[in-house]
Amino acid sequence: MATYTISQKYIGSGYSFPITLENGKPPLKVGDLELIRPSLRVLLTWPNATRFFLGEFGCRIEDTIGEPNDDILGPLVFRFINESINQFEKRIYLLDAEILRPNSTKINIRLIYSIKRTSLEDSFILPFYIKPIY
C-alpha cells in the first residue's frame, strides 16, 4: 500500500508544463506545488471563452488590455482572477492578489494562495502586459 503525504493526497500527481524529457520520458511529478503554478498560469493567461469543448474556461483578464494603468485596474483584475480560480482551480483558496506596477505598459500580479485542507501557502508573480506590444 502506498503512503501519501498531505500535499500528495490533495494536490495530486501529474506532468509539469512545459513537458521536459528525462531519459526519453516525461518525469511524473507527485504532490508538488509545481503542478499548481503551471495550472494557474494556463488558466489566467487563456482568453476567456476560446477553448474547445469548455467554452467558459479562461480568465477575462485579457479584457483589460488597453485600459489605463490606474487604481481601477487592480480591483478589476482581482475580480477576474478570483472568478476564474473559484470556478476552475478547486485545489486552492486565493488569499490575495497584489498588483505591482513596474511601468505604464505592464503589471505584475502577485498571487498568494493556500492549498485546501493543508497549511501550505504559496505565491508567484504573473507578468501581464496591458498595452499591446508590436
Side-chain angles (χ1 to χ4, degrees), residues 67-93:
E67 294 295 324
N69 191 355
D70 57 9
D71 293 335
I72 297 172
L73 184 65
L76 186 62
V77 166
F78 179 79
R79 178 179 175 196
F80 292 159
I81 289 172
N82 199 26
E83 287 174 354
S84 295
I85 288 175
N86 286 337
Q87 186 173 4
F88 293 105
E89 187 52 78
K90 303 294 184 187
R91 298 175 289 185
I92 67 168
Y93 294 114

Side-chain angles (χ1 to χ4, degrees), residues 23-80:
N23 297 325
K25 297 178 183 177
L28 184 63
K29 298 280 188 175
V30 178
D32 193 355
L33 290 174
E34 289 300 320
L35 292 175
I36 292 179
R37 289 183 195 136
S39 295
L40 285 172
R41 192 170 289 114
V42 168
L43 173 64
L44 299 178
T45 57
W46 196 280
N48 192 38
T50 60
R51 191 167 192 170
F52 291 115
F53 304 113
L54 190 57
E56 58 275 352
F57 183 83
C59 185
R60 293 176 48 202
I61 194 172
E62 294 286 326
D63 295 345
T64 63
I65 291 178
E67 294 295 324
N69 191 355
D70 57 9
D71 293 335
I72 297 172
L73 184 65
L76 186 62
V77 166
F78 179 79
R79 178 179 175 196
F80 292 159

